Amino acid sequence: MFYLVTQRVLSRDLRLFIRRSISKQWGFTVINWSKYASFRSQWLTHNFNKKLPTVGRLASSTRFFSEDRIPSIDLEEEDEGHQLPSVVQTYQTASVQSRRISPFLKQLKHCGSPSDVLDLTCKYAPTPRQVSNCLTQMWFTTKKMSEDQRRYELQLMFNHPAFDRLLQSSIKAVGHLNTEAIAYSLLSMVNLGVPQRSRVVQTFLRHCQEKLNDFDEKGLSILASCLVHMEENANVAALKEGMRMMVEMRLPEIKSVLALQTMMRVLGKDTPLDLKRKLEVKVLSMTDQFTLPNTQYMISTMATMGFYSKPLLDICSKKMIENLHGIPFNRLLPVLLSCRELYYRDLDLLNGISDYVASLIDVWTNKQLLLLLSAFESLAFCPDALMKALTEKIIGNPGALTLKDILCVLKVYSSLNYDLKHQRQLFLDGVTQALCSYLPMIPTFELLRSVYYLSVLGCFPSAPLQQLMNEDSINQLKATAPRIFQNQENMLRTVDLCLRLDAPALPVPLILPSFLLGETTSRCEPSVKPWLSHSLKSLLEEQENAILQEMLLVENFYLIGKVRFPTVSIIALISSSNACCYGTSRPRGPLAVMIRHLKILGYDCVLMMDQELESMSEQHRLDFLRTCIFPESRRPEESLTE
């Protein structure tokens, strides 16, 4: 009894909220769309295969709702149930037509394009429900088309004289449609590219607000699918807020996983934490119903909401690992990107995806492989299996790489410090050869990026370096906009340092002008951690002639802490976990270059993770530092034997 009373109170509050929203926010813009010139048959004949403008650009100049071409409709009268006579007459005949199999619906099912549907509406006077069926069929036919064909068919649709009439009919019919038909019609119009601020779309939004309390689970799911892709405006915002109230009120009753996920996406990042927790409990109670697509969609849904739930993510990861084979590219990539957004990394899942993609290296395109590779890199994870397979593919045909491909490959391989082993020279020669083929047309900043990535990898091809240091390139770098100057300066300083310390054999000496390098800076400027400083000083009290030097600037670039002995200097590199590839102690690009250069300068380097050290007790930390800095203390039994 209490539940029924509560539900009625919430329903009443929801209706009041929506009515207030309507009274305040219904002042939507009625846009006068300029008339399109009619299609010339000659244009249709000769331009079928030409690339047409995008749907959005088409919509911006369509004619459908010119206010002077439509009979005015009193919205207040519609609220009271008074409809135009023609609509009433059409609606009265609907029940008669529904008693027999409608010839209209028979023919509608065989329509293969939006124009076919519009041609059919010229032969019949569709009922309100059939108007909704027409809009849905028009959208469904375009879903099966290629992108180019879809553009072409939408162009024909926007220029068809019956399109205006159909949209006018939909405005008159909306009051007679059930909630599911209203939602499907709105979704169809939005997906077909009808301008979202046009009168027809705003009218449907208004009716969705008025009838929101009557929507069932399926109708809410359809409406949510539409709202996810709509531009933000007052009516959309009010409808989303109403949906949030509906979801919270009906959460215990929702039985469809997909419907719940769709509604969660509409709620978005602004969802109150309390509601997110309720949704988490609800979703966890439904995990036994998850299909594989549900699992993938849930991860991206959580990213859309900005909601991290490790128990739920772990369940999704486990199910994906068990069913990796057969997952297409367009589902794998969103999963990786969502994991990045949620800062969630599961080693088994990442390694499993890497192995799976590597097994399809000859099936997927370079673009697909590199998009996945970039997603792995953004997670600071080195997909060894994929990179090994991709290395062999690049060595076999480096000429297949575009300039964008080359920059992506160099960025990822340098960032992850991937060990190319015996294939190193073949790989670098192939990528360098491909890069040199683009030198006549490469923009200066892209050239700097490529030289920087190669320098991090310890590779110094003379042709790109010489082009980077010619007068034209230097002048362009000098005129760089301030917003990218700091990034450019860091890359130039790294290239300069690599040329000086790695000392590659080049045909002619190459030196970057000092005015491009800026003032003395450091690659990293860590603050002195008191707990670490105290531990190192305590440790060195045990050693004679040992000196600790903190915040020491080396080569005017690297800021380090050094433990100096009479015969050797040890650099204790205390780094964050993000400076290494996830799940390993392999240093990533900038840290790897730093270690390489410090070794060239004669230092012994010891790499330790600050998070690991900070979590230790004082005594445990001292013992750990002792074994790292003084290797002889690792196996005292061997010292005793000697």
Side-chain angles (χ1 to χ4, degrees):
M1 181 66 183
F2 175 76
Y3 173 76
L4 293 174
V5 172
T6 304
Q7 189 177 35
R8 288 170 184 162
V9 171
L10 288 172
S11 299
R12 182 198 63 191
D13 291 344
L14 179 60
R15 285 195 297 271
L16 288 173
F17 167 79
I18 291 176
R19 289 187 181 277
R20 291 193 191 104
S21 299
I22 294 169
S23 63
K24 292 180 181 179
Q25 301 171 2
W26 179 232
F28 60 83
T29 305
V30 179
I31 299 178
N32 290 318
W33 300 100
S34 60
K35 291 188 176 182
Y36 253 122
S38 61
F39 252 169
R40 293 176 296 176
S41 59
Q42 183 180 1
W43 191 97
L44 292 176
T45 304
H46 295 290
N47 292 278
F48 179 82
N49 291 321
K50 289 187 178 180
K51 194 167 186 178
L52 294 168
T54 61
V55 173
R57 292 177 62 187
L58 293 173
S60 65
S61 56
T62 49
R63 67 177 181 270
F64 9 87
F65 271 141
S66 275
E67 205 172 8
D68 58 352
R69 297 184 69 250
I70 315 173
S72 61
I73 299 177
D74 191 328
L75 296 176
E76 291 300 322
E77 287 184 352
E78 286 184 10
D79 289 344
E80 299 298 327
H82 302 301
Q83 301 297 323
L84 295 177
S86 61
V87 178
V88 174
Q89 184 177 2
T90 304
Y91 185 64
Q92 287 173 345
T93 62
S95 59
V96 178
Q97 291 188 2
S98 64
R99 293 172 193 164
R100 62 181 183 274
I101 300 175
S102 168
F104 180 90
L105 293 179
K106 278 185 179 180
Q107 295 182 49
L108 183 62
K109 291 180 181 179
H110 294 92
C111 291
S113 70
S115 295
D116 290 345
V117 176
L118 294 173
D119 290 340
L120 183 62
T121 63
C122 295
K123 301 176 183 178
Y124 295 87
T127 65
R129 178 64 188 185
Q130 289 171 350
V131 168
S132 175
N133 292 338
C134 288
L135 292 170
T136 304
Q137 180 68 12
M138 289 166 70
W139 169 44
F140 281 175
T141 59
T142 63
K143 290 173 66 175
K144 303 174 184 178
M145 297 177 181
S146 66
E147 189 63 27
D148 286 341
Q149 186 185 4
R150 181 173 176 272
R151 288 195 193 97
Y152 173 77
E153 291 294 345
L154 290 179
Q155 178 76 74
L156 290 177
M157 178 191 76
F158 282 118
N159 284 272
H160 200 293
F163 190 44
D164 274 345
R165 292 196 296 271
L166 181 65
L167 294 182
Q168 292 173 30
S169 298
S170 69
I171 283 187
K172 299 173 185 178
V174 65
H176 299 292
L177 298 177
N178 61 34
T179 54
E180 186 175 320
I182 293 174
Y184 262 126
S185 299
L186 179 62
L187 178 62
S188 300
M189 286 188 288
V190 171
N191 286 336
L192 286 169
V194 177
Q196 294 181 17
R197 292 187 179 274
S198 61
R199 184 178 182 183
V200 61
V201 171
Q202 295 296 322
T203 299
F204 272 76
L205 284 172
R206 175 199 173 182
H207 279 272
C208 287
Q209 291 179 0
E210 291 178 337
K211 297 184 177 182
L212 188 58
N213 201 44
D214 299 326
F215 275 73
D216 60 11
E217 181 177 311
K218 182 178 180 181
L220 286 175
S221 177
I222 299 166
L223 181 58
S225 299
C226 181
L227 293 177
V228 165
H229 303 290
M230 291 196 70
E231 302 166 0
E232 197 69 23
N233 60 53
N235 285 318
V236 171
L239 196 50
K240 285 183 177 180
E241 180 62 20
M243 282 202 67
R244 183 191 68 76
M245 297 170 64
M246 290 292 293
V247 170
E248 190 166 10
M249 181 174 66
R250 297 186 182 179
L251 190 58
E253 306 167 15
I254 297 176
K255 302 188 184 306
S256 166
V257 175
L258 182 58
L260 180 59
Q261 290 174 328
T262 307
M263 295 176 205
M264 289 170 66
R265 294 175 84 88
V266 172
L267 300 181
K269 288 184 168 61
D270 296 331
T271 307
L273 183 59
D274 180 58
L275 179 53
K276 287 182 179 179
R277 294 299 181 193
K278 292 178 182 178
L279 288 167
E280 179 185 25
V281 173
K282 177 66 175 180
V283 175
L284 286 172
S285 71
M286 302 172 74
T287 52
D288 59 334
Q289 303 175 35
F290 278 18
T291 63
L292 183 57
N294 287 155
T295 300
Q296 300 150 12
Y297 196 54
M298 182 55 70
I299 295 175
S300 60
T301 296
M302 294 178 70
T304 301
M305 290 189 70
F307 181 50
Y308 180 94
S309 168
K310 192 172 188 306
L312 185 53
L313 286 167
D314 287 345
I315 290 171
C316 292
S317 293
K318 183 178 179 182
K319 190 168 187 69
M320 280 195 66
I321 293 168
E322 294 170 352
N323 300 276
L324 272 174
H325 290 277
I327 299 179
F329 164 80
N330 60 357
R331 290 185 181 172
L332 272 184
L333 183 61
V335 167
L336 290 175
L337 296 178
S338 298
C339 288
R340 177 194 65 186
E341 192 167 340
L342 292 168
Y343 299 101
Y344 173 76
R345 293 178 290 193
D346 181 279
L347 271 178
D348 291 336
L349 175 63
L350 296 176
N351 279 316
I353 295 176
S354 173
D355 293 341
Y356 169 56
V357 177
S359 69
L360 297 172
I361 198 74
D362 295 323
V363 176
W364 288 352
T365 65
N366 283 345
K367 181 179 179 180
Q368 291 174 325
L369 295 171
L370 294 177
L371 283 171
L372 290 168
L373 194 64
S374 294
F376 279 121
E377 190 267 337
S378 69
L379 288 162
F381 173 78
C382 184
D384 287 305
L386 172 57
M387 296 188 78
K388 180 181 178 182
L390 187 59
T391 298
E392 294 172 353
K393 184 173 183 178
I394 291 173
I395 291 173
N397 187 15
L401 298 175
T402 65
L403 177 58
K404 189 174 182 180
D405 294 342
I406 294 168
L407 288 168
C408 178
V409 167
L410 291 175
K411 178 180 184 292
V412 173
Y413 277 68
S414 61
S415 172
L416 297 178
N417 187 28
Y418 178 66
D419 185 5
L420 290 157
K421 300 185 174 70
H422 64 281
Q423 295 179 312
R424 173 181 170 80
Q425 198 57 49
L426 286 173
F427 173 82
L428 292 175
D429 287 346
V431 175
T432 301
Q433 178 186 354
L435 174 64
C436 289
S437 68
Y438 288 100
L439 288 181
M441 64 191 77
I442 189 171
T444 301
F445 187 68
E446 305 302 320
L447 176 62
L448 172 59
R449 286 176 59 202
S450 61
V451 169
Y452 165 75
Y453 298 142
L454 285 166
S455 298
V456 172
L457 287 167
C459 178
F460 305 94
S462 60
L465 281 166
Q466 289 178 10
Q467 182 163 322
L468 179 65
M469 297 186 191
N470 67 31
E471 186 176 355
D472 289 341
S473 298
I474 288 173
N475 289 336
Q476 289 182 40
L477 292 172
K478 187 178 178 181
T480 301
R483 62 186 177 83
I484 60 172
F485 178 75
Q486 184 175 2
N487 185 35
Q488 173 182 291
E489 186 179 292
N490 285 337
M491 287 192 287
L492 286 167
R493 289 184 65 81
T494 299
V495 172
D496 176 69
L497 199 61
C498 288
L499 289 174
R500 288 192 288 110
L501 296 182
D502 290 286
L506 297 171
V508 293
L510 296 174
I511 301 174
L512 282 166
S514 58
F515 64 80
L516 288 178
L517 304 178
E519 298 180 0
T520 298
T521 57
S522 62
R523 161 63 78 179
C524 49
E525 299 181 359
S527 57
V528 177
K529 296 178 173 60
W531 55 267
L532 177 59
S533 180
H534 179 267
S535 296
L536 285 172
K537 288 175 181 177
S538 299
L539 178 64
L540 296 182
E541 287 176 358
E542 306 171 4
Q543 305 292 325
E544 295 183 2
N545 301 320
I547 300 173
L548 173 64
Q549 293 178 284
E550 298 177 297
M551 306 294 286
L552 179 65
L553 190 63
V554 176
E555 292 292 323
N556 292 327
F557 198 55
Y558 298 125
L559 197 61
I560 61 173
K562 179 174 73 171
V563 179
R564 183 162 60 86
F565 297 95
T567 58
V568 67
S569 292
I570 296 176
I571 305 296
L573 298 173
I574 312 298
S575 182
S576 66
S577 58
N578 286 335
C580 292
C581 294
Y582 178 69
T584 72
S585 58
R586 179 194 300 165
R588 296 177 66 194
L591 182 58
V593 174
M594 181 180 180
I595 293 173
R596 187 176 84 213
H597 287 165
L598 291 174
K599 288 182 177 180
I600 291 173
L601 292 169
Y603 295 103
D604 287 342
C605 298
V606 177
L607 181 62
M608 294 169 280
M609 299 295 109
D610 59 355
Q611 292 178 346
E612 183 181 358
L613 285 170
E614 191 171 8
S615 63
M616 297 177 180
S617 65
E618 177 65 21
Q619 186 57 49
H620 188 191
R621 187 184 303 133
L622 282 173
D623 294 339
F624 182 79
L625 289 171
R626 187 179 293 109
T627 59
C628 290
I629 297 176
F630 308 112
E632 65 276 5
S633 64
R634 294 176 185 170
R635 293 184 291 275
E637 68 280 2
E638 294 183 9
S639 300
L640 290 173
T641 304
E642 292 176 359

